[in-house]
């Protein structure tokens, strides 16, 4: 059985989203253009996810020692899963959008 409390998720999720947004703003991930997506964009996404994961892990470890915010006690396995799914989802969506854009451009130029 899974012991999962949705009320705790409602308290943890805003903090994780805030940390992730901060990491993406710091690394400048939002500056990329989909039609020019390449290895540099994947590298920037990777840096942003690593930064957010490290910040979340540090916050979790500090919180476990000092009990500042008892509801913010994330298992490290969840943070790892978040990192992997974010990397796959964001790089995959960038690639799919690039392919769709290129297909649309090629379709209109062939007319």
């Amino acid at each position: 059985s899974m012991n999962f409390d949705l009320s705790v998720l409602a308290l943890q999720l805003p903090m994780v989203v805030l940390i992730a947004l901060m990491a993406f703003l710091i690394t400048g991930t939002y500056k990329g253009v989909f039609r020019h997506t390449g290895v540099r964009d994947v590298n920037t996404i990777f840096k942003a996810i690593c930064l957010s994961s490290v910040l979340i892990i540090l916050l979790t470890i500090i919180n476990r020692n000092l009990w500042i915010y008892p509801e913010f006690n994330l298992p490290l396995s969840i943070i790892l899963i978040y990192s992997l799914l974010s990397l796959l989802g964001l790089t995959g969506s960038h690639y799919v959008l690039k392919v769709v854009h290129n297909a649309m451009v090629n379709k209109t130029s062939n007319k």
Side-chain angles (χ1 to χ4, degrees):
S1 72
M2 293 178 53
N3 295 329
F4 192 71
D5 188 7
L6 288 176
S7 64
V8 174
L9 175 67
L11 297 172
Q12 294 171 347
L13 194 59
M15 184 69 80
V16 171
V17 168
L18 184 66
I19 291 171
L21 284 174
M22 185 177 64
F24 281 95
L25 287 173
I26 289 171
T27 58
T29 305
Y30 60 91
K31 294 178 184 177
V33 179
F34 286 117
R35 65 179 179 215
H36 301 297
T37 297
V39 176
R40 185 170 22 130
D41 290 328
V42 173
N43 189 21
T44 306
I45 290 170
F46 180 74
K47 287 178 185 178
I49 291 171
C50 286
L51 178 61
S52 68
S53 298
V54 166
L55 290 174
I56 292 169
I57 289 170
L58 285 174
L59 188 61
T60 301
I61 290 172
I62 290 169
N63 189 41
R64 285 182 185 170
N65 291 330
L66 301 178
W67 286 100
I68 299 169
Y69 187 50
E71 291 82 15
F72 193 77
N73 191 11
L74 294 172
L76 297 179
S77 60
I78 298 295
I79 299 169
L80 179 65
I81 292 168
Y82 151 77
S83 301
L84 292 174
L85 289 177
S86 296
L87 182 63
L88 290 173
L90 289 172
T91 55
S93 66
H94 273 250
Y95 178 72
V96 167
L97 287 172
K98 179 181 179 178
V99 168
V100 168
H101 177 269
N102 288 341
M104 291 175 65
V105 167
N106 289 337
K107 185 178 181 180
T108 57
S109 65
N110 290 335
K111 287 185 176 183

